């Protein structure tokens, strides 16, 4: 049975955007397109500025995703956890919408008896395990990120190890921003794993600007193109049948 | 983690003496004190009609609901309970919002590593033998523990028995492991994938044993290059008798938790754990051959010299659990 595809953009950055469109606005657009945006802020010795943290949280909130600020060392565990949590959250959100439709406005899963909630949660778990997943990864490669890139590479390989254990299929694509001439550069095209990742970061140019908004915009375009190509059915409908 | 996941609701803090009444089942619980907190919520000791219970409360109903599903499942399983027994699930209506909670058996015990800290090496073996027995039953039920680590284990008293908490990582066989901790995760060490299967847990068991000798753990990569787990085992005297079992656990060589348990039991039975200065060390452990016939014979000799009765017992009760109790008794006194 076809269960549809979950779509995520995973943004890895270490600071604030400083050029182009407001990434918070663009993240809201992603959400409208049915794509959730997760953001991971990477810090090393220095703490991240308050403005940086607040931007990261706002992007994820606007994009219906999850945000987390971590030290580079904890990146692997965080990336896979955020990705999985966000999947569950998306499915949960859809199931919740269903519940409000059945029970009436302003009713949520929380208004169900705990027993029924448990049954619905089994459905959510089941879907999280079996739905297909597309993750578009956007890596900030502005100059300050340079020494964090080996950790990023390791975390992405680890993510692919985690997701490979799922029953549903996974596809990743890797982009960096800023690009050499454009806002983003493609490093790896859609592929089921990250075997080809070693060396991918070598090709990158590092610069001082951080065009997070334009990068997200391009990310949405790429996802939308893929969606059209695959001609997938409406995911929410698929979920409805399941729930 | 530096900042937590973006949350709409604030975490709730309950105070000693506070009474919590469930919205649906109307049962009441009086908070005694906080037991601990984790990624998904805070656990309190509470007083209820059933006596002392553990109550876990969170701001987000997703993980609470998942955990309840698992606990509920195992409260239906026959035999001694796998994990804390499940009692109740409900919502607490506070001023700031509605907080889901569940109530389970209070496990009164000592944390795993502190318990083992000043005890002889045989205790590590015994505790892990117990753990493997429970894991075997869990696996036969079609579940994998997932996030196995000392923080999720308690040792109760009279008699000493290892019990597990935190069912958050439990995953049905064949699915992707729900939750794990890097040090205990075979994916992190490059020893395999994260599909839920018995060997996933057995790898964690092996790491748990290593953790006993390295309380502050260690990382995959150091400035000197990648860490070799095998050399870490070899570097510690406490792990010497268990080297083969640990290595086979790491490498996924055991068919089942039961197979690992069997081998571990015979190591405990055939090793002298008391005074082990280096010179005596090599007569006692045949470096990894602890289960071979030869080693067994050697051991008998050593013991016969010390206490002729032991040899007799050994032939009578070999492979029986009573012997372990006997060894426990002997060494329990020496400690
Ligand atoms: N049933 C229980 N009996 C006694 N103590 C418990 C029990 N459940 C949890 N605890 C204590 O609370 C702590 C946190 O609980 P845990 O379930 O591990 O949280 P999380 O899953 O959120 O990490 C545990 O480390 C333990 O000390």
């Amino acid at each position: 049975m076809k269960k549809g595809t979950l779509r995520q953009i995973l943004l890895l950055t270490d600071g604030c955007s400083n050029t182009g469109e407001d990434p918070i606005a663009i993240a809201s657009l992603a959400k409208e397109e049915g794509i959730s945006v997760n953001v991971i802020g990477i810090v090393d010795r220095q703490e991240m500025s308050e403005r940086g943290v607040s931007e990261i949280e706002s992007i994820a909130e606007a994009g219906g995703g999850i945000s987390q600020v971590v030290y580079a060392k904890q990146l692997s565990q965080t990336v896979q956890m955020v990705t999985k949590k966000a999947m569950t959250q998306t499915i949960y959100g859809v199931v919740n919408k269903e519940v409000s439709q059945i029970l009436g406005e302003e009713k949520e899963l929380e208004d169900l008896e705990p027993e029924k909630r448990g049954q619905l949660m089994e459905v959510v778990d089941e879907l999280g395990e079996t739905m297909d997943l597309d993750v578009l990864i956007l890596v900030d490669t502005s100059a300050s990120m340079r020494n964090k890139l080996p950790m990023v590479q390791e975390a992405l390989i680890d993510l692919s190890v985690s997701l490979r254990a799922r029953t549903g299929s996974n596809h990743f694509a890797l982009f960096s921003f800023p690009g050499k001439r454009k806002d983003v550069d493609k490093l790896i095209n859609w592929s089921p794993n990250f075997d080809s990742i070693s060396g991918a970061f070598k090709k990158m140019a590092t610069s001082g600007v951080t065009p997070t908004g334009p990068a997200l915009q391009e990310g949405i375009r790429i996802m939308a193109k893929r969606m059209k190509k695959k001609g997938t059915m409406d995911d929410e409908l698929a979920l409805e049948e399941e729930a | 983690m530096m900042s937590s996941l973006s949350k709409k609701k604030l975490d709730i803090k309950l105070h000693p003496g506070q009474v919590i009444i469930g919205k649906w089942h109307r049962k009441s619980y009086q908070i005694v004190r906080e037991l601990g907190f984790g990624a998904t919520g805070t656990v309190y000791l509470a007083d209820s009609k059933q006596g002392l219970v553990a109550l876990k409360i969170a701001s987000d109903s997703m993980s609470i609901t998942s955990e309840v599903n698992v606990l509920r499942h195992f409260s239906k399983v026959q035999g001694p309970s796998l994990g804390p027994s499940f009692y109740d699930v409900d919502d607490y209506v506070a001023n700031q919002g509605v907080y889901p909670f569940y109530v389970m058996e209070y496990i009164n015990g000592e944390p795993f590593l502190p318990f083992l800290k000043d005890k002889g090496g045989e205790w590590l073996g015994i505790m892990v033998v117990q753990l493997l027995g429970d894991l075997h039953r869990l696996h036969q039920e079609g579940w994998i523990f997932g996030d196995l680590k000392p923080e999720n284990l308690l040792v109760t008293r009279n008699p000493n028995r290892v019990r597990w908490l935190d069912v958050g990582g439990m995953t049905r066989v064949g699915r992707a492991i729900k939750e794990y901790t890097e040090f205990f995760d075979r994916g992190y060490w490059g020893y395999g994938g994260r599909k839920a299967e018995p060997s996933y847990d057995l790898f964690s068991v092996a790491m748990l044993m290593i953790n006993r000798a390295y309380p502050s753990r260690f990382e995959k990569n150091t400035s000197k290059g990648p860490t070799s787990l095998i050399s870490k085992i070899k570097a510690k005297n406490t792990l010497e008798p268990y080297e083969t079992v640990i290595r086979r656990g790491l490498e996924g060589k055991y068919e089942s938790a039961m197979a690992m348990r069997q081998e571990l039991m015979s190591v405990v039975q055939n090793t002298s754990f008391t005074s082990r200065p280096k010179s005596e060390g090599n007569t006692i452990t045949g470096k990894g051959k602890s289960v071979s016939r030869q080693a067994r014979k050697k051991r008998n000799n050593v013991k016969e010299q010390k206490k002729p009765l032991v040899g007799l017992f050994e032939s009578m009760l070999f492979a029986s659990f009573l012997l372990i109790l006997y060894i426990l008794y002997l060494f329990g006194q020496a400690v």
Side-chain angles (χ1 to χ4, degrees):
Chain A
M1 188 179 55
K2 189 97 184 88
K3 283 184 173 140
T5 306
L6 287 169
R7 294 188 184 81
Q8 296 185 353
I9 291 179
L10 174 65
L11 177 68
L12 297 158
T13 180
D14 69 345
C16 254
S17 63
N18 54 18
T19 176
E21 290 78 9
D22 183 350
I24 301 165
I26 306 296
S28 315
L29 178 72
K31 192 178 175 190
E32 294 299 318
E33 296 263 10
I35 302 166
S36 56
V37 182
N38 301 313
V39 192
I40 293 174
I42 312 169
V43 289
D44 41 23
R45 266 138 292 171
Q46 293 147 286
E47 299 257 312
M48 190 174 278
S49 72
E50 217 165 283
R51 203 165 68 90
V53 174
S54 129
E55 184 181 271
I56 283 167
E57 284 175 356
S58 308
I59 296 174
E61 207 161 303
I66 289 171
S67 70
Q68 184 105 46
V69 177
V70 291
Y71 289 108
K73 246 173 65 177
Q74 302 163 308
L75 199 58
S76 293
Q77 186 132 30
T78 308
V79 165
Q80 62 86 25
M81 193 197 72
V82 162
T83 303
K84 283 199 288 196
K85 275 225 154 154
M87 290 169 64
T88 316
Q89 185 174 297
T90 305
I91 300 168
Y92 192 82
V94 175
V95 172
N96 221 347
K97 237 188 341 199
E98 288 301 302
V99 171
S100 343
Q101 265 166 27
I102 299 164
L103 300 182
E105 290 288 310
E106 282 173 41
K107 292 265 183 192
E108 296 199 323
L109 258 174
E110 271 70 15
D111 298 304
L112 278 180
E113 287 161 57
E115 284 68 27
K116 300 214 172 106
R117 220 180 282 162
Q119 287 165 14
L120 276 177
M121 200 61 213
E122 300 249 343
V123 177
V124 172
D125 278 348
E126 168 76 23
L127 287 173
E129 171 73 21
T130 53
M131 280 182 81
D132 294 343
L133 172 71
D134 283 356
V135 191
L136 187 144
I137 298 153
L138 284 172
V139 181
D140 172 357
T141 51
S142 57
S144 57
M145 279 288 289
R146 191 191 297 262
N147 58 344
K148 295 165 196 146
L149 290 178
M151 295 292 201
V152 170
Q153 177 174 319
E154 196 180 305
L156 294 180
I157 293 172
D158 190 82
L159 175 68
S160 134
V161 170
S162 266
L163 295 179
R164 204 179 301 153
R166 297 172 64 244
T167 311
S169 71
N170 314 287
H171 285 88
F172 309 93
L174 179 64
F175 292 81
S176 65
F177 69 97
K180 280 209 184 83
R181 262 173 232 103
K182 297 166 288 172
D183 288 326
V184 296
D185 274 350
K186 173 160 70 187
L187 300 182
I188 298 178
N189 205 354
W190 292 106
S191 118
N193 55 50
F194 265 134
D195 295 344
S196 50
I197 197 176
S198 323
F201 285 124
K202 288 211 186 83
K203 297 185 267 180
M204 287 180 319
T206 44
S207 96
V209 294
T210 311
T212 312
L216 273 176
Q217 214 171 17
E218 183 59 21
I220 297 170
R221 261 199 295 274
I222 296 160
M223 278 240 154
K225 213 166 86 191
R226 180 173 161 80
M227 268 150 79
K228 258 195 224 117
K229 227 190 240 160
K230 279 177 64 182
T232 45
M233 56 199 275
D234 184 22
D235 296 336
E236 299 206 352
L237 266 181
L239 277 173
E240 245 167 67
E241 280 164 20
E242 263 299 305
Chain B
M1 305 276 153
M2 295 183 55
S3 74
S4 57
L5 302 167
S6 26
K7 257 184 218 137
K8 283 164 267 158
K9 231 185 309 177
L10 284 175
D11 284 337
I12 190 166
K13 197 111 194 97
L14 304 178
H15 310 286
Q18 192 173 347
V19 176
I20 302 296
I21 297 175
K23 169 183 167 187
W24 303 91
H25 305 145
R26 311 301 310 170
K27 292 211 181 112
S28 79
Y29 303 94
Q30 184 168 35
I31 301 301
V32 177
R33 67 183 159 89
E34 186 181 311
L35 287 172
F37 66 95
T40 58
T42 309
V43 181
Y44 295 90
L45 178 64
D47 212 354
S48 74
K49 268 204 189 123
Q50 291 131 290
L52 288 178
V53 293
L55 184 153
K56 182 164 183 174
I57 190 161
S59 47
D60 151 44
S61 87
M62 259 196 282
S63 48
I64 288 278
T65 309
S66 282
E67 288 177 24
V68 166
N69 276 348
V70 175
L71 283 172
R72 234 188 238 285
H73 181 88
F74 288 110
S75 51
K76 287 182 210 132
V77 171
Q78 296 287 309
S81 73
L82 291 166
S85 308
F86 170 77
Y87 297 147
D88 188 21
V89 53
D90 216 320
D91 291 328
Y92 173 55
V93 184
N95 295 332
Q96 315 97 289
V98 180
Y99 293 84
F101 70 87
Y102 67 84
V103 182
M104 63 188 144
E105 174 190 4
Y106 167 53
I107 296 177
N108 187 2
E110 199 180 336
F112 189 73
L113 289 181
F115 170 85
L116 291 175
K117 192 163 166 277
D118 302 313
K119 295 202 171 49
E122 69 282 11
W123 277 99
L124 173 63
I126 291 297
M127 289 299 122
V128 174
V129 163
Q130 291 182 353
L131 180 63
L132 285 167
D134 287 352
L135 282 176
H136 185 69
R137 287 180 51 222
L138 183 75
H139 295 166
Q140 290 203 306
E141 286 293 315
W143 289 76
I144 299 302
F145 193 88
D147 197 8
L148 194 62
K149 56 178 172 181
E151 296 90 306
N152 285 338
L153 300 173
L154 288 177
V155 182
T156 60
R157 249 194 256 245
N158 305 324
N160 287 123
R161 180 78 175 81
V162 67
R163 298 281 310 268
W164 63 54
L165 323 152
D166 194 4
V167 297
M170 283 202 193
T171 309
R172 270 181 218 277
V173 169
R175 297 195 161 186
I177 291 289
K178 259 199 231 160
E179 210 176 281
Y180 62 83
T181 303
E182 280 179 349
F183 187 79
F184 303 91
D185 164 51
R186 70 179 183 189
Y188 173 77
W189 293 103
Y191 273 78
R194 297 200 176 113
K195 211 174 231 345
E197 51 194 21
S199 54
Y200 186 89
D201 278 346
L202 301 184
F203 180 92
S204 307
V205 171
M207 290 308 291
L208 186 75
M209 297 179 82
I210 293 177
N211 195 183
R212 159 74 172 89
Y214 296 89
S216 41
R217 299 176 193 169
F218 45 82
E219 279 165 27
K220 185 166 55 172
N221 292 306
T222 61
S223 48
K224 281 180 249 139
T227 306
S228 143
L229 291 177
I230 304 299
S231 64
K232 285 286 185 186
I233 308 169
K234 288 190 196 290
K236 292 284 181 179
N237 266 337
T238 20
L239 298 180
E240 198 186 329
Y242 299 120
E243 183 184 329
T244 313
V245 176
I246 297 177
R247 209 189 56 233
R248 287 168 58 84
L250 293 179
E251 289 167 354
K253 293 278 166 61
Y254 290 113
E255 287 269 304
S256 67
M258 213 26 115
M260 186 168 179
R261 181 172 177 271
Q262 219 76 54
E263 271 193 27
L264 185 57
M265 275 175 73
S266 78
V267 171
V268 180
Q269 281 162 6
N270 297 305
T271 309
S272 169
F273 287 94
T274 40
S275 65
R276 24 189 9 259
K278 260 293 164 197
S279 59
E280 209 183 308
N282 29 10
T283 30
I284 286 171
T285 356
K287 263 259 151 92
K289 274 182 261 144
S290 29
V291 273
S292 76
R293 207 161 269 264
Q294 227 186 349
R296 200 175 288 157
K297 223 156 98 205
K298 244 187 236 162
R299 207 130 310 125
N300 287 352
N301 293 340
V302 172
K303 280 187 188 149
E304 262 158 22
Q305 281 162 10
K306 278 201 258 166
K307 264 191 181 181
L309 248 186
V310 180
L312 195 97
F313 263 92
E314 219 155 331
S315 51
M316 273 168 54
L317 304 172
F318 186 67
S320 114
F321 200 76
L322 277 178
L323 184 69
I324 290 210
L325 290 180
Y326 181 65
I327 293 172
L328 267 182
Y329 169 76
L330 278 183
F331 291 103
Q333 299 216 312
V335 175

